[in-house]
């Protein structure tokens, strides 16, 4: 089981969640977190674990730092939620959303997790 996660309000302050341009606030917040807080190789490993439905690994990353749920690959913009959505891992997608994964973050091609889910 993935541990209970922080509510979205703990990850994104109120002023960012209410921003008129939520996508910009979300992706810029994630890019800042990824570059200054978490090593990119670990972010990529989290994304791969989500793509491969390795729930134990995902749980380990989230126990290490709950910000992993909101990180994006700086080159591609891929997020854990996008990777799980693309692979069709519905239970993991729900767990990531419950942990506060931003559903409206976009990658470098302008695609969000919903786009990946419907393309799967």
């Amino acid at each position: 089981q993935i541990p209970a996660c922080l509510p979205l309000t703990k990850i994104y302050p109120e002023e960012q969640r209410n921003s008129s341009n939520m996508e910009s606030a979300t992706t810029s917040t994630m890019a800042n977190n990824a570059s200054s807080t978490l090593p990119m190789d670990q972010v990529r490993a989290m994304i791969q674990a989500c793509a491969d439905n390795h729930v134990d690994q995902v749980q380990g990353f989230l126990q290490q730092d709950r910000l992993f749920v909101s990180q994006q690959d700086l080159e591609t913009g891929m997020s854990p939620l996008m990777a799980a959505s693309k692979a069709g891992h519905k239970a993991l997608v729900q767990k990531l959303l419950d942990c506060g994964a931003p559903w409206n973050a976009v990658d470098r091609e302008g695609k969000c997790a919903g786009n990946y889910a419907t393309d799967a």
Side-chain angles (χ1 to χ4, degrees):
Q1 286 281 353
I2 295 176
C5 296
L6 295 172
L8 188 59
T9 55
K10 298 288 184 189
I11 297 173
Y12 299 106
E14 184 71 23
E15 61 272 11
Q16 287 181 344
R17 288 184 294 121
N18 290 332
S19 169
S20 60
N21 188 351
M22 182 63 177
E23 290 176 0
S24 295
T26 302
T27 44
S28 68
T29 299
M30 287 184 293
N32 289 341
N33 287 337
S35 64
S36 63
T37 304
L38 302 173
M40 188 51 51
D41 62 330
Q42 289 186 16
V43 171
R44 289 182 178 132
M46 168 69 167
I47 292 167
Q48 188 63 51
C50 290
D52 296 339
N53 203 30
H54 292 158
V55 177
D56 290 343
Q57 289 179 2
V58 172
Q59 180 178 345
F61 282 114
L62 293 176
Q63 286 175 342
Q64 179 183 341
D65 192 323
R66 294 183 193 262
L67 285 178
F68 274 108
V69 77
S70 63
Q71 301 299 291
Q72 287 180 267
D73 184 299
L74 291 176
E75 290 179 23
T76 66
M78 179 68 70
S79 71
L81 182 61
M82 291 174 199
S85 297
K86 182 177 182 179
H89 303 309
K90 295 176 187 177
L92 182 55
V93 165
Q94 187 59 57
K95 291 291 187 184
L96 293 169
L97 288 168
D98 291 346
C99 289
W103 57 268
N104 62 344
V106 294
D107 66 9
R108 300 287 183 218
E109 296 177 11
K111 295 173 74 174
C112 68
N115 296 121
Y116 283 105
T118 58
D119 292 345

